[in-house]
Amino acid sequence: MTNLTKFVFVGALAASAPTVSKADANLIIAASLPEVHFWVGKHMNLFADAIEERTDGDISFTRFYAGEITSVGRELDGLQGGSIDVAAPLLAPYHEGTFPLSDVTQLPTLGTTSLIETNAFLKLMDSDVELADGKTFYEYEIEPKGIHAWPVGTTSAYAINFAGVEPESAEDLNGMPLRAGSALHTIFLEELGSTPVTMPSSASYEALSRGTVEGTILSVADWRSYSLQDVLTYSITGVAVGHWGSYIAISDSAWQQLSDEQKEIWDQTARDIAIENAELIDAQDVEVAEEAAAAGIKFVDVAAIPEGLRSAIESASTATWRRWIEQTEEAGLPGRATAQLWAELVQAEGAELPQGVEELLVSE
Protein backbone atom coordinates (compact mmCIF):
# COMPACT_ATOMS: atom_id res chain seq x y z
CA MET A 1 0.00 0.00 0.00
CA THR A 2 1.36 3.40 -0.91
CA ASN A 3 2.13 6.14 1.58
CA LEU A 4 -0.43 8.45 0.00
CA THR A 5 -3.27 5.97 0.46
CA LYS A 6 -2.27 3.97 3.50
CA PHE A 7 -4.40 6.11 5.79
CA VAL A 8 -7.54 5.17 3.84
CA PHE A 9 -7.74 1.87 5.69
CA VAL A 10 -6.71 1.18 9.27
CA GLY A 11 -4.79 -2.07 9.48
CA ALA A 12 -5.62 -5.03 7.31
CA LEU A 13 -9.41 -4.93 7.13
CA ALA A 14 -11.12 -8.23 6.48
CA ALA A 15 -12.79 -8.45 3.11
CA SER A 16 -16.15 -8.88 4.75
CA ALA A 17 -15.79 -5.90 7.11
CA PRO A 18 -18.67 -3.45 6.67
CA THR A 19 -18.09 0.18 5.68
CA VAL A 20 -18.30 2.45 8.69
CA SER A 21 -21.32 4.69 8.27
CA LYS A 22 -20.82 8.32 9.17
CA ALA A 23 -22.94 11.42 9.00
CA ASP A 24 -23.05 13.54 5.90
CA ALA A 25 -20.20 16.05 5.76
CA ASN A 26 -20.37 19.66 4.64
CA LEU A 27 -16.81 20.92 4.41
CA ILE A 28 -15.38 24.42 4.06
CA ILE A 29 -13.06 24.45 1.05
CA ALA A 30 -11.06 27.60 0.45
CA ALA A 31 -8.64 29.04 -2.09
CA SER A 32 -6.31 31.97 -1.53
CA LEU A 33 -6.29 32.47 -5.32
CA PRO A 34 -9.07 33.78 -7.61
CA GLU A 35 -11.24 31.50 -9.73
CA VAL A 36 -9.40 32.58 -12.88
CA HIS A 37 -6.31 30.76 -11.63
CA PHE A 38 -5.92 27.24 -13.03
CA TRP A 39 -5.61 25.76 -9.53
CA VAL A 40 -9.06 27.08 -8.65
CA GLY A 41 -11.31 27.16 -11.70
CA LYS A 42 -9.59 24.12 -13.23
CA HIS A 43 -8.89 22.13 -10.07
CA MET A 44 -10.69 23.17 -6.88
CA ASN A 45 -14.08 23.50 -8.56
CA LEU A 46 -13.60 20.31 -10.60
CA PHE A 47 -12.57 18.37 -7.50
CA ALA A 48 -15.46 19.64 -5.36
CA ASP A 49 -17.98 18.95 -8.14
CA ALA A 50 -16.64 15.42 -8.63
CA ILE A 51 -16.68 14.58 -4.93
CA GLU A 52 -20.25 15.82 -4.54
CA GLU A 53 -21.31 13.77 -7.56
CA ARG A 54 -19.41 10.59 -6.66
CA THR A 55 -20.72 10.58 -3.08
CA ASP A 56 -24.29 11.41 -4.17
CA GLY A 57 -24.07 14.59 -2.14
CA ASP A 58 -23.09 12.91 1.12
CA ILE A 59 -20.00 15.11 1.01
CA SER A 60 -20.70 18.70 0.06
CA PHE A 61 -18.66 21.89 0.14
CA THR A 62 -19.09 25.51 1.06
CA ARG A 63 -16.65 27.24 -1.24
CA PHE A 64 -14.58 30.38 -0.67
CA TYR A 65 -12.29 32.07 -3.17
CA ALA A 66 -9.57 34.69 -3.54
CA GLY A 67 -8.48 34.81 0.09
CA GLU A 68 -11.96 35.28 1.57
CA ILE A 69 -10.91 33.12 4.54
CA THR A 70 -7.21 32.37 4.19
CA SER A 71 -4.45 34.20 2.35
CA VAL A 72 -1.49 33.01 0.27
CA GLY A 73 0.95 31.13 2.49
CA ARG A 74 -1.50 30.85 5.39
CA GLU A 75 -3.45 27.84 4.20
CA LEU A 76 -1.80 25.47 6.67
CA ASP A 77 -2.70 27.82 9.53
CA GLY A 78 -6.32 27.66 8.39
CA LEU A 79 -6.30 23.86 8.33
CA GLN A 80 -4.58 23.47 11.68
CA GLY A 81 -6.64 26.21 13.32
CA GLY A 82 -9.96 24.86 12.07
CA SER A 83 -11.13 27.88 10.06
CA ILE A 84 -11.16 25.72 6.92
CA ASP A 85 -11.45 21.99 6.27
CA VAL A 86 -9.84 21.84 2.85
CA ALA A 87 -7.17 24.07 1.26
CA ALA A 88 -7.37 24.06 -2.51
CA PRO A 89 -4.59 24.69 -3.10
CA LEU A 90 -2.19 24.67 -0.19
CA LEU A 91 0.69 26.67 -1.71
CA ALA A 92 3.58 24.76 -0.19
CA PRO A 93 6.48 26.95 -1.46
CA TYR A 94 4.96 30.03 0.22
CA HIS A 95 5.12 28.24 3.59
CA GLU A 96 8.81 28.97 3.96
CA GLY A 97 10.70 26.17 5.68
CA THR A 98 7.54 24.14 6.36
CA PHE A 99 7.60 21.90 3.27
CA PRO A 100 11.34 21.87 2.51
CA LEU A 101 11.42 18.72 0.39
CA SER A 102 8.46 19.79 -1.77
CA ASP A 103 10.74 22.34 -3.46
CA VAL A 104 12.30 19.43 -5.34
CA THR A 105 9.69 19.87 -8.11
CA GLN A 106 11.21 23.28 -8.83
CA LEU A 107 14.63 21.93 -9.77
CA PRO A 108 15.39 22.76 -13.43
CA THR A 109 14.62 20.14 -16.06
CA LEU A 110 14.43 19.93 -19.84
CA GLY A 111 11.50 18.91 -22.02
CA THR A 112 8.97 18.74 -19.20
CA THR A 113 5.26 19.49 -19.09
CA SER A 114 2.73 19.73 -16.30
CA LEU A 115 1.53 16.21 -17.09
CA ILE A 116 5.06 14.76 -16.88
CA GLU A 117 5.78 16.51 -13.60
CA THR A 118 2.38 15.73 -12.06
CA ASN A 119 2.72 12.02 -12.79
CA ALA A 120 6.18 12.10 -11.21
CA PHE A 121 4.86 14.07 -8.23
CA LEU A 122 2.10 11.52 -7.60
CA LYS A 123 4.71 8.76 -7.66
CA LEU A 124 6.93 10.74 -5.28
CA MET A 125 4.02 11.03 -2.82
CA ASP A 126 3.32 7.31 -3.18
CA SER A 127 6.93 6.21 -2.97
CA ASP A 128 7.91 3.74 -0.27
CA VAL A 129 11.60 4.60 -0.69
CA GLU A 130 13.03 5.53 2.68
CA LEU A 131 14.92 8.80 2.37
CA ALA A 132 16.38 8.83 5.90
CA ASP A 133 15.50 7.66 9.41
CA GLY A 134 13.08 5.15 7.92
CA LYS A 135 10.88 7.96 6.54
CA THR A 136 9.48 8.34 3.04
CA PHE A 137 8.80 11.64 1.28
CA TYR A 138 5.17 11.65 2.45
CA GLU A 139 6.20 10.92 6.02
CA TYR A 140 8.61 13.84 6.03
CA GLU A 141 6.41 16.41 4.33
CA ILE A 142 2.79 15.65 5.14
CA GLU A 143 2.13 13.39 8.10
CA PRO A 144 3.62 15.63 10.84
CA LYS A 145 1.37 18.54 9.81
CA GLY A 146 -1.92 16.92 10.86
CA ILE A 147 -3.22 16.95 7.30
CA HIS A 148 -3.73 14.59 4.37
CA ALA A 149 -2.62 15.83 0.96
CA TRP A 150 -2.43 15.06 -2.75
CA PRO A 151 -0.72 16.98 -5.56
CA VAL A 152 -2.58 19.47 -7.69
CA GLY A 153 -1.35 19.62 -11.27
CA THR A 154 2.07 21.23 -11.25
CA THR A 155 2.52 24.41 -13.22
CA SER A 156 3.79 24.06 -16.74
CA ALA A 157 7.50 24.70 -17.27
CA TYR A 158 8.70 27.95 -15.73
CA ALA A 159 10.20 30.24 -18.37
CA ILE A 160 12.50 33.25 -18.08
CA ASN A 161 10.38 36.25 -19.07
CA PHE A 162 11.35 39.87 -19.66
CA ALA A 163 9.64 43.24 -20.01
CA GLY A 164 11.21 45.61 -22.51
CA VAL A 165 14.61 43.84 -22.73
CA GLU A 166 16.04 41.04 -24.87
CA PRO A 167 19.29 39.78 -23.34
CA GLU A 168 21.86 38.60 -25.85
CA SER A 169 24.63 37.56 -23.47
CA ALA A 170 25.23 36.39 -19.92
CA GLU A 171 26.67 39.83 -19.17
CA ASP A 172 23.30 41.41 -20.01
CA LEU A 173 21.81 39.59 -17.01
CA ASN A 174 24.45 40.70 -14.52
CA GLY A 175 22.66 42.58 -11.75
CA MET A 176 19.36 42.65 -13.65
CA PRO A 177 16.47 42.67 -11.12
CA LEU A 178 14.24 39.67 -11.84
CA ARG A 179 11.27 38.46 -9.84
CA ALA A 180 11.73 35.20 -7.93
CA GLY A 181 8.76 33.39 -6.44
CA SER A 182 10.58 30.83 -4.34
CA ALA A 183 13.87 29.86 -2.74
CA LEU A 184 14.76 27.73 -5.77
CA HIS A 185 14.17 30.66 -8.14
CA THR A 186 16.40 32.79 -5.94
CA ILE A 187 19.19 30.24 -6.18
CA PHE A 188 18.83 30.00 -9.95
CA LEU A 189 18.89 33.77 -10.46
CA GLU A 190 21.89 34.19 -8.18
CA GLU A 191 23.76 31.58 -10.20
CA LEU A 192 22.74 33.42 -13.35
CA GLY A 193 24.26 36.62 -11.98
CA SER A 194 20.94 38.47 -11.76
CA THR A 195 19.48 40.18 -8.71
CA PRO A 196 16.51 38.15 -7.40
CA VAL A 197 13.58 40.14 -6.04
CA THR A 198 11.24 37.87 -4.09
CA MET A 199 7.51 38.55 -4.40
CA PRO A 200 4.30 36.63 -5.08
CA SER A 201 3.02 36.52 -8.64
CA SER A 202 0.14 38.78 -7.70
CA ALA A 203 2.63 41.64 -7.18
CA SER A 204 4.45 41.07 -10.48
CA TYR A 205 2.27 43.22 -12.73
CA GLU A 206 2.91 46.43 -10.82
CA ALA A 207 6.60 45.63 -10.33
CA LEU A 208 7.07 44.98 -14.05
CA SER A 209 5.04 48.05 -15.03
CA ARG A 210 7.13 50.32 -12.81
CA GLY A 211 10.45 48.75 -13.75
CA THR A 212 11.11 47.54 -10.21
CA VAL A 213 11.93 44.25 -11.89
CA GLU A 214 12.75 43.69 -15.56
CA GLY A 215 11.50 40.15 -15.74
CA THR A 216 10.04 37.19 -13.89
CA ILE A 217 10.45 33.44 -13.53
CA LEU A 218 6.95 32.16 -14.31
CA SER A 219 5.15 29.64 -16.47
CA VAL A 220 3.45 31.07 -19.54
CA ALA A 221 0.13 29.51 -18.53
CA ASP A 222 0.30 31.60 -15.35
CA TRP A 223 0.41 34.90 -17.25
CA ARG A 224 -3.34 34.98 -17.70
CA SER A 225 -3.99 34.86 -13.95
CA TYR A 226 -2.10 38.14 -13.46
CA SER A 227 -2.54 39.87 -16.88
CA LEU A 228 1.21 39.68 -17.46
CA GLN A 229 0.76 39.37 -21.21
CA ASP A 230 0.11 43.13 -21.06
CA VAL A 231 3.61 43.90 -19.76
CA LEU A 232 5.93 41.07 -20.83
CA THR A 233 7.63 41.28 -24.22
CA TYR A 234 10.19 38.44 -24.46
CA SER A 235 10.36 34.88 -23.13
CA ILE A 236 13.08 32.22 -23.13
CA THR A 237 11.42 28.80 -23.16
CA GLY A 238 12.56 25.19 -23.43
CA VAL A 239 14.39 25.06 -20.12
CA ALA A 240 12.08 24.47 -17.17
CA VAL A 241 13.22 26.60 -14.26
CA GLY A 242 11.27 24.11 -12.22
CA HIS A 243 7.58 23.36 -11.98
CA TRP A 244 5.71 24.75 -8.99
CA GLY A 245 4.14 21.90 -7.07
CA SER A 246 1.44 22.33 -4.45
CA TYR A 247 -1.27 20.32 -2.74
CA ILE A 248 -4.94 19.93 -2.10
CA ALA A 249 -5.08 19.21 1.63
CA ILE A 250 -7.72 18.25 4.20
CA SER A 251 -7.31 18.57 7.95
CA ASP A 252 -7.13 15.36 9.95
CA SER A 253 -10.22 16.33 11.95
CA ALA A 254 -12.25 16.71 8.73
CA TRP A 255 -10.76 13.50 7.34
CA GLN A 256 -11.95 11.54 10.36
CA GLN A 257 -15.54 12.62 9.62
CA LEU A 258 -15.48 10.49 6.47
CA SER A 259 -16.27 6.80 6.17
CA ASP A 260 -13.74 4.38 4.71
CA GLU A 261 -15.71 4.32 1.47
CA GLN A 262 -15.73 8.12 1.29
CA LYS A 263 -11.98 8.25 1.95
CA GLU A 264 -11.41 5.83 -0.92
CA ILE A 265 -13.55 7.96 -3.23
CA TRP A 266 -11.69 11.09 -2.10
CA ASP A 267 -8.28 9.52 -2.75
CA GLN A 268 -9.17 8.35 -6.26
CA THR A 269 -10.87 11.63 -7.13
CA ALA A 270 -7.83 13.64 -6.01
CA ARG A 271 -5.66 11.56 -8.31
CA ASP A 272 -8.05 11.84 -11.24
CA ILE A 273 -8.43 15.61 -10.92
CA ALA A 274 -4.66 16.13 -10.54
CA ILE A 275 -4.14 14.54 -13.96
CA GLU A 276 -7.07 16.40 -15.51
CA ASN A 277 -5.73 19.64 -14.04
CA ALA A 278 -2.28 18.96 -15.52
CA GLU A 279 -3.75 18.39 -18.97
CA LEU A 280 -5.74 21.63 -18.72
CA ILE A 281 -2.66 23.54 -17.55
CA ASP A 282 -0.62 22.27 -20.50
CA ALA A 283 -3.41 23.27 -22.88
CA GLN A 284 -3.57 26.73 -21.30
CA ASP A 285 0.20 27.09 -21.63
CA VAL A 286 -0.05 26.60 -25.39
CA GLU A 287 -3.13 28.80 -25.68
CA VAL A 288 -1.62 31.74 -23.77
CA ALA A 289 1.65 31.48 -25.72
CA GLU A 290 -0.21 31.53 -29.04
CA GLU A 291 -2.28 34.55 -27.99
CA ALA A 292 0.80 36.37 -26.71
CA ALA A 293 2.81 35.64 -29.86
CA ALA A 294 -0.04 36.95 -32.00
CA ALA A 295 0.06 40.14 -29.92
CA GLY A 296 3.77 40.59 -30.64
CA ILE A 297 5.45 38.95 -27.64
CA LYS A 298 8.59 37.11 -28.73
CA PHE A 299 9.24 33.51 -27.66
CA VAL A 300 12.68 31.97 -28.18
CA ASP A 301 13.67 28.41 -27.33
CA VAL A 302 16.79 28.11 -25.21
CA ALA A 303 18.43 26.14 -28.04
CA ALA A 304 18.16 29.19 -30.33
CA ILE A 305 19.64 31.88 -28.07
CA PRO A 306 23.33 32.97 -28.27
CA GLU A 307 25.72 30.29 -27.06
CA GLY A 308 27.12 32.30 -24.14
CA LEU A 309 23.70 33.01 -22.73
CA ARG A 310 22.59 29.41 -23.23
CA SER A 311 25.71 28.15 -21.47
CA ALA A 312 25.06 30.47 -18.53
CA ILE A 313 21.48 29.17 -18.18
CA GLU A 314 22.67 25.56 -18.36
CA SER A 315 25.36 26.16 -15.74
CA ALA A 316 22.89 27.94 -13.46
CA SER A 317 20.46 25.03 -13.82
CA THR A 318 23.01 22.46 -12.72
CA ALA A 319 24.29 24.70 -9.92
CA THR A 320 20.72 25.04 -8.63
CA TRP A 321 20.54 21.28 -8.11
CA ARG A 322 23.89 21.32 -6.30
CA ARG A 323 23.04 24.23 -4.01
CA TRP A 324 19.58 22.90 -3.14
CA ILE A 325 21.06 19.54 -2.18
CA GLU A 326 23.77 21.20 -0.08
CA GLN A 327 21.40 23.58 1.71
CA THR A 328 18.84 20.87 2.43
CA GLU A 329 21.49 18.51 3.75
CA GLU A 330 22.92 21.28 5.94
CA ALA A 331 19.44 21.67 7.43
CA GLY A 332 19.53 18.02 8.45
CA LEU A 333 17.17 16.81 5.74
CA PRO A 334 17.74 14.17 3.05
CA GLY A 335 18.29 16.54 0.13
CA ARG A 336 20.51 14.22 -1.90
CA ALA A 337 18.24 11.19 -1.49
CA THR A 338 15.20 13.29 -2.42
CA ALA A 339 16.92 14.76 -5.48
CA GLN A 340 18.08 11.30 -6.59
CA LEU A 341 14.57 9.88 -6.27
CA TRP A 342 13.02 12.86 -8.06
CA ALA A 343 15.53 12.60 -10.91
CA GLU A 344 14.64 8.92 -11.39
CA LEU A 345 10.92 9.65 -11.37
CA VAL A 346 10.94 12.57 -13.83
CA GLN A 347 13.26 10.75 -16.20
CA ALA A 348 10.96 7.73 -16.13
CA GLU A 349 8.18 10.08 -17.28
CA GLY A 350 10.26 11.38 -20.20
CA ALA A 351 12.10 14.39 -18.76
CA GLU A 352 15.76 15.23 -19.29
CA LEU A 353 18.16 16.60 -16.70
CA PRO A 354 20.49 19.57 -17.26
CA GLN A 355 24.01 18.60 -18.28
CA GLY A 356 26.07 17.51 -15.30
CA VAL A 357 23.20 16.76 -12.94
CA GLU A 358 23.43 12.97 -13.22
CA GLU A 359 27.14 13.11 -12.37
CA LEU A 360 26.35 15.44 -9.48
CA LEU A 361 23.79 13.04 -8.04
CA VAL A 362 26.17 10.07 -7.89
CA SER A 363 29.11 12.05 -6.48
CA GLU A 364 29.78 12.19 -2.76
Side-chain angles (χ1 to χ4, degrees):
M1 185 176 292
T2 64
N3 287 290
L4 190 57
T5 58
K6 68 181 182 181
F7 45 77
V8 174
F9 301 101
V10 180
L13 296 176
S16 60
T19 298
V20 177
S21 177
K22 295 198 175 184
D24 293 351
N26 180 267
L27 304 177
I28 295 175
I29 187 170
S32 56
L33 302 171
E35 279 193 87
V36 68
H37 197 282
F38 50 61
W39 280 338
V40 183
K42 295 181 179 180
H43 186 281
M44 172 180 153
N45 284 340
L46 298 183
F47 174 82
D49 289 346
I51 287 290
E52 290 176 342
E53 179 180 352
R54 294 179 184 186
T55 64
D56 295 322
D58 290 342
I59 301 175
S60 60
F61 297 96
T62 301
R63 310 180 194 192
F64 294 90
Y65 304 97
E68 290 177 306
I69 294 183
T70 184
S71 59
V72 170
R74 302 301 299 271
E75 298 94 354
L76 184 59
D77 292 342
L79 290 169
Q80 293 177 336
S83 60
I84 63 174
D85 299 306
V86 184
L90 188 159
L91 299 168
Y94 282 131
H95 293 69
E96 187 173 354
T98 304
F99 296 92
L101 299 184
S102 298
D103 286 347
V104 73
T105 68
Q106 295 182 43
L107 290 170
T109 50
L110 298 167
T112 42
T113 63
S114 175
L115 186 58
I116 285 173
E117 292 271 322
T118 302
N119 275 317
F121 200 8
L122 282 163
K123 291 176 181 177
L124 179 66
M125 297 279 280
D126 281 341
S127 174
D128 59 4
V129 172
E130 295 180 359
L131 301 178
D133 303 324
K135 294 182 179 180
T136 65
F137 177 87
Y138 193 91
E139 289 166 342
Y140 261 105
E141 290 291 274
I142 305 302
E143 286 188 356
K145 314 296 193 305
I147 61 174
H148 305 272
W150 297 257
V152 295
T154 71
T155 65
S156 51
Y158 268 44
I160 312 171
N161 312 290
F162 301 90
V165 294
E166 295 186 15
E168 293 291 331
S169 67
E171 289 73 23
D172 290 344
L173 296 178
N174 285 341
M176 182 183 290
L178 298 175
R179 175 260 174 187
S182 70
L184 263 295
H185 296 165
T186 296
I187 292 173
F188 175 80
L189 292 176
E190 287 175 348
E191 292 295 329
L192 206 54
S194 302
T195 300
V197 181
T198 303
M199 66 179 71
S201 294
S202 56
S204 297
Y205 184 95
E206 183 175 359
L208 289 162
S209 299
R210 295 186 176 210
T212 305
V213 296
E214 296 183 63
T216 180
I217 303 296
L218 193 68
S219 73
V220 176
D222 257 318
W223 292 9
R224 180 179 289 167
S225 300
Y226 311 105
S227 300
L228 297 187
Q229 65 271 24
D230 296 337
V231 289
L232 294 173
T233 58
Y234 181 76
S235 180
I236 297 175
T237 62
V239 55
V241 189
H243 293 248
W244 189 291
S246 286
Y247 304 106
I248 180 169
I250 180 173
S251 68
D252 187 63
S253 59
W255 183 253
Q256 297 310 323
Q257 297 179 40
L258 309 183
S259 68
D260 291 336
E261 181 181 7
Q262 289 170 338
K263 290 175 182 177
E264 188 173 7
I265 291 171
W266 185 291
D267 175 76
Q268 187 58 55
T269 301
R271 295 167 182 276
D272 294 344
I273 300 302
I275 296 303
E276 183 176 355
N277 185 219
E279 293 170 343
L280 291 169
I281 289 171
D282 282 334
Q284 183 168 317
D285 194 67
V286 173
E287 181 182 339
V288 173
E290 290 176 347
E291 291 174 354
I297 297 175
K298 187 175 180 180
F299 293 86
V300 180
D301 189 87
V302 67
I305 63 177
E307 183 178 353
L309 181 57
R310 181 173 66 253
S311 178
I313 291 173
E314 291 171 348
S315 295
S317 298
T318 303
T320 299
W321 281 75
R322 174 182 54 78
R323 281 185 56 184
W324 184 80
I325 291 170
E326 292 173 350
Q327 291 180 10
T328 310
E329 290 282 338
E330 288 171 3
L333 294 167
R336 179 174 295 279
T338 304
Q340 289 171 333
L341 177 57
W342 180 245
E344 293 172 5
L345 293 173
V346 294
Q347 286 180 295
E349 295 298 326
E352 296 180 19
L353 303 179
Q355 186 174 5
V357 168
E358 288 192 74
E359 294 80 359
L360 172 69
L361 292 174
V362 297
S363 64
E364 294 296 333

